[in-house]
Amino acid sequence: MKALLLSLLLVPALALAQAPVIEISGANFRPLPLAAPAPVLQEGADKKSAQSFDTAFTYDLTASGIFQVLDRAGFTADAKEGMTAGSINFSRWADVGAESLVKVSLAQDGGALRGELRLFSVATGKEELKVSKDAPAGEPRQLAHTLADALYRHFTREPSPFLSRITYVRKAGANRDVYVADWDGMNAQALTKGGTHILPTLSPSGQVAFTSYRKNRPDIYVQSPGGEAKPLVTEGQMATGVAYSPDGKRIAYALAEGESAQIYVASADGSGAKAITDTPYGLNTSPTWSPDGKRIAFVSNRGGSPQVYVMNADGSGVKRLTFQGNYNQTPDWSPRGDLIAFTARDERNAFDLFTVNVDTGKVTRLTQDQGNNEEPTFSPNGRLIIFSTNRNGGAHLWVMTSEGNNQVPLPMEKGNWLTPDWGTAPAAK
């Protein structure tokens, strides 16, 4: 696996007074060594909430791929050390290899849990960031994601993925049910209960569209958390694989009739559907939109084997993008626009994940020799990829950087979890 590319760039000249910026590109990347001791409890805060906060906060930082979160077992600083620069012995933090130190205090006032985060440069002892955020008292994980997002934004000047949502399918016996959860798979809510429901996708407004066999054939439904499922596409022999355009105003999906399946584009409510592929006896499936909404990538066997193609959103300008291997599927277009991640079956009949550069066609391998890895989905900022894998038995969801590094499992309970989709809607308040 190639090394993660990330470099620390100090803002030059005029911006010297500002905090350093982490730019996730370049050949000199190394994760930033970060010390993050357990949160300090202030008035009203309880240990259970603090533990839940700490678990989510530490996971966010670790899975981001831009921090090397140091092992607390090696810390030598006084456990009663304060929250301000004047009370901190920075030499103790330098001794354990920390370049940055982040401290959090928690306090509860009535129905609100308040967290105060302070970030320090270990080398200079300077406080670089101070931010306070509130969350409902029963939502310490929400507060953790919010403070982790503030820290991520400080270093990268980009929104983090920590406040986003994902959807996925849980396989249990004969049932396939759709869930919506926080980005790390926690705080999950079931949208369906019993039956076969597959291939969910999140709309920008937070609705979930999915393929359901509730009428003994695959149709597409749409549902809001807490709401009822409503038919979206019920035509043809088989309607599957819906994808929302980035502005949420259009959908693309595959509709099978006879011996072919074509890509259709319609308004988000399913009206005005129009086929944009026309390959008799050919299969065209798995559409995914470019971030500007002008193009669609999809899978087609028109060349004799399933490969990834791109075309304009009106069906013109079709171009084959993958040429290696004979079974490439489940494309997902990065929100950054440059890459499409996909699943490929290799010479050992194992499934692994790759990206292909949309402009150059360069293919990069992300997984290898770790079971079957499938169904990649990019984070809203394009920096991370969630995917399903059976590397430890069963089917689980893992996350890695868009370059295939720092692969870690989502902290979900045991079960079989499939077909993740990473949306852009914020987490529930």
Side-chain angles (χ1 to χ4, degrees), residues 247-319:
D247 62 6
K249 295 181 179 179
R250 292 172 292 170
I251 56 173
Y253 55 92
L255 194 64
E257 287 280 11
E259 299 181 18
S260 72
Q262 308 301 334
I263 302 295
Y264 281 70
V265 169
S267 298
D269 62 1
S271 65
K274 179 182 179 181
I276 59 171
T277 60
D278 182 14
T279 54
Y281 309 109
L283 299 178
N284 304 280
T285 63
S286 305
T288 175
W289 294 80
S290 64
D292 61 6
K294 295 181 178 179
R295 289 185 290 174
I296 292 173
F298 63 105
V299 174
S300 178
N301 67 353
R302 64 186 65 192
S305 65
Q307 300 290 341
V308 178
Y309 289 75
V310 295
M311 62 183 168
N312 296 323
D314 63 1
S316 64
V318 176
K319 174 185 176 184

Side-chain angles (χ1 to χ4, degrees), residues 108-126:
Q108 184 171 332
D109 181 9
L113 181 65
R114 168 158 294 184
E116 181 181 277
L117 179 152
R118 293 175 183 246
L119 174 71
F120 303 93
S121 165
V122 171
T124 65
K126 179 184 177 183

